[in-house]
């Protein structure tokens, strides 16, 4: 197959940031995707309807009005069921994001104990509002490579039993355990999968030296996990859908003695996914993963229009943006074997 045309896709997990960074990165997401679930981990986090509405306006100003941001609310220990429910009913946000406190970038205001948000989860379950989960425990005694698997046992498995009708997206899954958990769960549970977790194993962090641009959270795992996540993505199961977790940080914040977690994969996200599906002989399943499964899970219409990807090399630049504000894209200096026509 030399080219493939699919219905216009969506990104079900992206960080668009704010200010100058928003202006730099939003057009890349809008070039490829009709809609995106926008993560709320700004400083301060997006916890109110008013904050979500004004952030949405700034995104549309940066991305253009052919792009629809799907806003989310950041859950804290003080999450107010009335505010969360009101925002959903009024269309200010489509979902709420659970960051365990301390799990990742700007998660200090996150949830310290899942029981603190049970009232909010009751409300979300009742109104059909999805919970998006950063699935890692944060205890210092748990190895960073085990944090997702331990989260399933300690938090997620009890959660789906306590809230059987709550829609849950297990975000950016990275392990065999997560792929299996989602595959065996009820239809209320889905998962997003990033390009990097399909392409990289943990050797990428240490390839000839420390590689800050391969560092994201959850961290990339052993090869057996990469293969299990790949199998899930190309399986044809409607539970798995595209979520880039594109998470830009300026170059200086990555190439640092304490580098930030996050990869900026928005510029060539579809190219990367197409390459993976091609390698797996599963290009016929790319459309489901990229364009059909997410809307079905969220109960949203499919996008009109199509995008075409063709088999051709595309070289990834070393930098995007200028000077101190520039960002190193995922795959910098390398190439992908597919490009958007
Ligand atoms: O690598 C990551 N970066 N993982 C996250 O969960 C957050 C993100 C960010 O916002 O930088
Ligand atoms: Zn994320």
């Amino acid at each position: 197959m030399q080219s493939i045309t699919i219905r216009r896709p969506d990104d079900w997990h992206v960080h668009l940031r704010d200010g100058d960074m928003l202006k730099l990165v939003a057009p890349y997401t809008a070039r490829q995707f009709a809609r995106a679930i926008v993560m709320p981990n700004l400083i301060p986090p997006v916890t109110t309807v008013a904050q979500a509405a004004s952030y949405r306006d700034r995104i549309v100003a940066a991305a253009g009005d052919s792009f629809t941001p799907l806003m989310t609310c950041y859950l804290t220990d003080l999450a107010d069921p009335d505010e969360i429910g009101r925002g959903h009913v009024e269309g200010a946000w489509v979902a709420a994001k659970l960051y365990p406190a301390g799990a990742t970038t700007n998660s200090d205001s996150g949830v310290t104990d899942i029981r603190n948000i049970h009232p909010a989860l009751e409300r979300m379950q009742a109104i059909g509002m999805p919970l998006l989960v950063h699935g890692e425990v944060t205890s210092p005694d748990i190895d960073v490579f085990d944090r997702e698997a331990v989260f399933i046992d300690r938090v997620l498995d009890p959660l789906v039993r306590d809230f059987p009708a709550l829609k849950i997206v297990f975000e950016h899954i990275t392990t065999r355990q997560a792929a299996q958990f989602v595959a065996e769960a009820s239809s209320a549970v889905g998962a997003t999968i990033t390009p990097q977790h399909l392409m990289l194993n943990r050797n990428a962090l240490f390839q000839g030296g420390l590689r800050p641009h391969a560092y994201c959270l959850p961290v990339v795992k052993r090869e057996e996990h990469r293969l299990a996540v790949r199998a899930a993505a190309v399986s044809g199961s409607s539970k798995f859908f595209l979520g880039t977790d594109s998470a830009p940080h300026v170059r200086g914040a990555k190439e640092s003695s304490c580098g930030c977690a996050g990869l900026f994969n928005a510029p060539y996200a579809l190219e990367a996914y197409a390459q993976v599906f091609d390698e797996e002989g599963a290009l016929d399943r790319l459309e489901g993963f990229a364009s059909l499964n997410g809307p079905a899970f969220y109960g949203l219409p499919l996008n009109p229009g199509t995008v075409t990807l063709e088999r051709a090399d595309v070289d990834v630049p070393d930098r995007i943006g200028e000077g101190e504000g520039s960002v190193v894209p995922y795959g910098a200096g390398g190439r992908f074997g597919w490009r958007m026509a």
Side-chain angles (χ1 to χ4, degrees):
M1 214 188 273
Q2 292 308 310
S3 84
I4 174 170
T5 297
I6 60 173
R7 190 179 279 272
R8 189 133 184 256
D10 305 297
D11 183 351
W12 298 97
H13 184 135
V14 71
H15 300 265
L16 293 178
R17 314 303 195 200
D18 212 340
D20 289 345
M21 183 65 96
L22 169 63
K23 294 188 183 109
L24 177 68
V25 304
Y28 291 98
T29 292
R31 179 179 81 97
Q32 299 209 314
F33 302 108
R35 300 170 291 196
I37 287 276
V38 181
M39 290 295 144
N41 60 332
L42 304 181
I43 305 173
V46 178
T47 55
T48 66
V49 170
Q51 285 171 311
S54 77
Y55 185 31
R56 184 184 196 288
D57 290 345
R58 296 195 297 279
I59 294 169
V60 171
D65 45 21
S66 66
F67 172 72
T68 304
L70 303 170
M71 308 306 291
T72 60
C73 142
Y74 183 115
L75 294 170
T76 71
D77 283 341
L78 303 174
D80 173 8
D82 291 334
E83 180 78 355
I84 290 168
R86 178 171 80 90
H88 191 253
V89 169
E90 292 178 2
W93 44 51
V94 304
K97 178 74 186 279
L98 165 62
Y99 288 104
T104 186
T105 308
N106 301 341
S107 61
D108 295 351
S109 316
V111 175
T112 59
D113 185 324
I114 189 86
R115 284 168 296 194
N116 294 336
I117 60 165
H118 273 202
L121 299 180
E122 292 284 3
R123 181 69 58 90
M124 290 167 61
Q125 177 171 251
I127 64 178
M129 177 177 170
L131 173 72
L132 316 183
V133 179
H134 183 108
E136 290 191 286
V137 294
T138 56
S139 348
D141 58 317
I142 303 296
D143 192 281
V144 68
F145 292 98
D146 296 334
R147 287 182 175 186
E148 184 176 277
V150 173
F151 182 89
I152 296 171
D153 294 341
R154 290 190 187 172
V155 184
L156 194 54
D157 193 33
L159 186 70
V160 300
R161 276 192 265 114
D162 288 345
F163 298 93
L166 178 64
K167 285 189 180 187
I168 298 174
V169 182
F170 195 172
E171 299 291 341
H172 43 52
I173 60 166
T174 66
T175 56
R176 171 175 53 74
Q177 291 91 333
Q180 188 178 341
F181 179 86
V182 173
E184 291 172 0
S186 82
S187 61
V189 179
T192 55
I193 300 180
T194 77
Q196 61 267 21
H197 293 109
L198 295 168
M199 297 179 114
L200 307 180
N201 65 32
R202 65 190 196 174
N203 290 340
L205 291 164
F206 309 109
Q207 195 94 49
L210 265 185
R211 297 290 190 162
H213 300 294
Y215 176 57
C216 61
L217 286 170
V219 70
V220 291
K221 303 293 192 305
R222 284 179 180 276
E223 179 66 356
E224 72 159 296
H225 297 294
R226 186 185 73 95
L227 294 177
V229 170
R230 258 172 108 97
V234 304
S235 66
S237 163
S238 60
K239 293 176 157 206
F240 299 101
F241 37 92
L242 185 160
T244 63
D245 199 18
S246 184
H249 295 275
V250 296
R251 177 171 163 239
K254 294 285 295 172
E255 299 176 10
S256 149
S257 61
C258 187
C260 293
L263 273 58
F264 178 44
N265 59 28
Y268 300 99
L270 280 180
E271 289 82 345
Y273 285 115
Q275 180 170 314
V276 168
F277 277 70
D278 185 22
E279 286 164 4
E280 295 293 326
L283 279 173
D284 57 324
R285 293 180 173 175
L286 180 62
E287 183 175 46
F289 178 79
S291 315
L292 310 179
N293 300 347
F297 184 89
Y298 277 86
L300 292 169
L302 301 179
N303 295 316
T306 59
V307 296
T308 297
L309 289 143
E310 53 194 24
R311 191 188 297 279
D313 287 345
V314 54
D315 292 318
V316 182
D318 290 330
R319 303 259 189 291
I320 297 222
E322 304 294 325
E324 306 249 298
S326 70
V327 184
V328 176
Y330 175 59
R335 74 174 35 146
F336 294 114
W338 286 79
R339 74 165 179 227
M340 258 180 86

